[in-house]
Amino acid sequence: MKKEVIGSSQLFAMIVLFELGTALVVPIGLKSGHAVWLSILMALPGGVLLYLIYYDLYRQFPGLIMSGYTQKILGKAIGWPLSLLYIPVLMFNGSRNLREAGDLLISSTYDRTPILVINAIMVIAVMYILNKGIEVFARTAEIYFWIIMIMGLFCNFIVIAAGLVDFKHLFPLQADDWWDALSSAYPSIWIFPFGELVCMTTVLPHFNKPRKAKRAGVMAVILSGLLLTFTHAIEISVLGENIYSRASFPIYTTITLVNVANFIQRLDALVILTLIIGVFFKMSIYCYAATVITADLFNVQDYRKLVVPVGVIVLFSSFVSAENYASHLNEGRAFLKYILPVLCAVIPFLLFLVHHVRKRFGWYR
């Protein structure tokens, strides 16, 4: 089979779209209150550091995905079951993204459409693009990156032009606000969305210019962090801390308030389109990571054979994981607090540390 390759601009677009994903739509860092935008800025250096750890492991083992070099570093007896843990977590996170997209579409527009139909259509689209290969997926990301950028700039400009922004909701910042922002940044925002980039460890081996992966990835993480900071700052400045914290989808609530001269209004369709695109790319990368790790661990030659089973599991997991959206959010907080930090930060850091110690003392056979 011909090896699939992706370029710098495609990797850049994939990371930005993955980072924005649902983080652009749902409220994050609620513990920091009106200083959530500051929390994102504080978490950004940690996100860059995590990517640099992923990049270093990729450069040390350029032809291997994470499950491959985990077994190289820790041995098959430890590395194989440790890698196996990632598969249900990746599929579960993909199903959570699908659930959030379905709930927003049901509550905003498709109130008479069964959520099974909406989610199934999105999963079918994901299975289709993954069957075409990561190279086709990367080219698609390169196109939709510009669509998201244009829609985002337009929506933020219209919100500002409509006179909805009130910077009194962002300032002043007291000493307690700085501490709350920091405690919210680590580990909450640090892991969601920056730590989720652990999925990109399965994409990096396809990069055609390994030395440029560092620059492209770091720039993508920084840009996505700045975009999230600006967007959530706009949302809080419009809604205020109280409404922002209670809204299920604050960006949707913000855009419905736009009314410029009784002419420009009803822009919520752009937010829905942004969510669909973001969830599509984020869920696709989660499913891709789950399929290639499964294929690697169980010696399946073509990962495409696993795309449909993984897609079906993600689809039905989106229904059975939580009874309602409130339970979904509570479940997500526990998952973010106890499980994701281990898989996204602790294990990669230990792999980085153990590898360099073994390499330094010549403990590889």
Side-chain angles (χ1 to χ4, degrees), residues 181-199:
L182 182 61
S183 59
S184 180
Y186 295 94
S188 179
I189 298 176
W190 182 46
I191 299 301
F192 171 69
F194 298 114
E196 293 179 302
L197 276 178
V198 70
C199 294

Side-chain angles (χ1 to χ4, degrees), residues 198-328:
V198 70
C199 294
M200 300 306 295
T201 58
T202 61
V203 176
L204 287 173
H206 295 283
F207 195 64
N208 61 356
K209 298 177 182 177
R211 294 183 182 276
K212 293 186 177 181
K214 180 179 180 180
R215 181 172 178 268
V218 169
M219 289 179 62
V221 172
I222 292 174
L223 176 62
S224 57
L226 294 177
L227 290 175
L228 287 173
T229 299
F230 180 73
T231 302
H232 284 278
I234 290 292
E235 292 169 12
I236 293 177
S237 65
V238 172
L239 301 176
E241 178 184 344
N242 188 31
I243 298 178
Y244 175 86
S245 62
R246 290 188 289 111
S248 298
F249 306 100
I251 192 172
Y252 179 79
T253 306
T254 300
I255 208 70
T256 56
L257 300 176
V258 171
N259 185 359
V260 179
N262 290 323
F263 177 69
I264 300 178
Q265 50 186 323
R266 298 295 298 172
L267 298 177
D268 43 296
L270 295 180
V271 172
I272 293 172
L273 183 57
T274 300
L275 174 71
I276 292 172
I277 294 172
V279 168
F280 169 75
F281 281 98
K282 191 161 190 174
M283 188 170 61
S284 295
I285 293 177
Y286 267 122
C287 291
Y288 174 77
T291 55
V292 295
I293 289 176
T294 304
D296 180 56
L297 293 179
F298 293 96
N299 297 317
V300 179
Q301 295 300 317
D302 188 358
Y303 73 88
R304 292 178 180 86
K305 296 178 180 178
L306 301 173
V307 168
V308 173
V310 167
V312 171
I313 292 172
V314 168
L315 174 61
F316 286 100
S317 295
S318 66
F319 300 111
V320 302
S321 60
E323 183 179 354
N324 50 50
Y325 192 69
S327 300
H328 170 82

Side-chain angles (χ1 to χ4, degrees), residues 48-69:
V48 172
L49 179 62
L50 275 181
Y51 178 79
L52 291 176
I53 291 174
Y54 303 149
Y55 168 78
D56 182 79
L57 289 169
Y58 154 66
R59 290 292 288 151
Q60 298 295 320
F61 304 93
L64 300 177
I65 62 174
M66 189 176 192
S67 57
Y69 58 69

Side-chain angles (χ1 to χ4, degrees), residues 1-265:
M1 183 184 297
K2 181 183 176 182
K3 182 180 179 181
E4 299 174 301
V5 295
I6 59 177
S8 298
S9 60
Q10 294 164 350
L11 178 67
F12 179 87
M14 289 174 69
I15 292 177
V16 172
L17 291 174
F18 180 81
E19 287 290 88
L20 295 181
T22 52
L24 202 63
V25 180
V26 300
I28 60 177
L30 294 179
K31 186 178 178 181
S32 55
H34 69 285
V36 61
W37 59 275
L38 182 61
S39 293
I40 301 173
L41 283 180
M42 288 180 169
L44 182 54
V48 172
L49 179 62
L50 275 181
Y51 178 79
L52 291 176
I53 291 174
Y54 303 149
Y55 168 78
D56 182 79
L57 289 169
Y58 154 66
R59 290 292 288 151
Q60 298 295 320
F61 304 93
L64 300 177
I65 62 174
M66 189 176 192
S67 57
Y69 58 69
T70 298
Q71 296 178 70
K72 288 275 187 180
I73 295 171
L74 301 178
K76 193 166 185 178
I78 299 176
W80 197 94
L82 192 63
S83 300
L84 187 65
L85 293 176
Y86 279 87
I87 299 173
V89 172
L90 292 171
M91 289 193 289
F92 179 72
N93 250 12
S95 70
R96 287 186 55 80
N97 292 327
L98 182 62
R99 174 66 178 265
E100 288 162 1
D103 281 337
L104 175 57
L105 291 172
I106 290 294
S107 62
S108 61
T109 308
Y110 302 100
D111 55 312
R112 296 189 178 183
T113 305
I115 192 171
L116 175 62
V117 174
I118 294 174
N119 288 3
I121 291 173
M122 295 191 70
V123 168
I124 290 171
V126 168
M127 291 190 294
Y128 175 79
I129 195 70
L130 292 184
N131 268 303
K132 291 297 181 180
I134 191 66
E135 189 172 344
V136 174
F137 176 72
R139 292 175 183 174
T140 307
E142 198 173 17
I143 297 172
Y144 277 94
F145 168 79
W146 292 109
I147 296 176
I148 287 290
M149 291 299 106
I150 292 170
M151 288 196 304
L153 290 174
F154 176 75
C155 288
N156 281 306
F157 173 78
I158 291 299
V159 169
I160 296 172
L164 298 174
V165 174
D166 185 357
F167 290 108
K168 292 180 181 178
H169 291 148
L170 301 178
F171 300 100
L173 293 174
Q174 308 294 339
D176 289 343
D177 294 326
W178 287 84
W179 173 251
D180 289 341
L182 182 61
S183 59
S184 180
Y186 295 94
S188 179
I189 298 176
W190 182 46
I191 299 301
F192 171 69
F194 298 114
E196 293 179 302
L197 276 178
V198 70
C199 294
M200 300 306 295
T201 58
T202 61
V203 176
L204 287 173
H206 295 283
F207 195 64
N208 61 356
K209 298 177 182 177
R211 294 183 182 276
K212 293 186 177 181
K214 180 179 180 180
R215 181 172 178 268
V218 169
M219 289 179 62
V221 172
I222 292 174
L223 176 62
S224 57
L226 294 177
L227 290 175
L228 287 173
T229 299
F230 180 73
T231 302
H232 284 278
I234 290 292
E235 292 169 12
I236 293 177
S237 65
V238 172
L239 301 176
E241 178 184 344
N242 188 31
I243 298 178
Y244 175 86
S245 62
R246 290 188 289 111
S248 298
F249 306 100
I251 192 172
Y252 179 79
T253 306
T254 300
I255 208 70
T256 56
L257 300 176
V258 171
N259 185 359
V260 179
N262 290 323
F263 177 69
I264 300 178
Q265 50 186 323

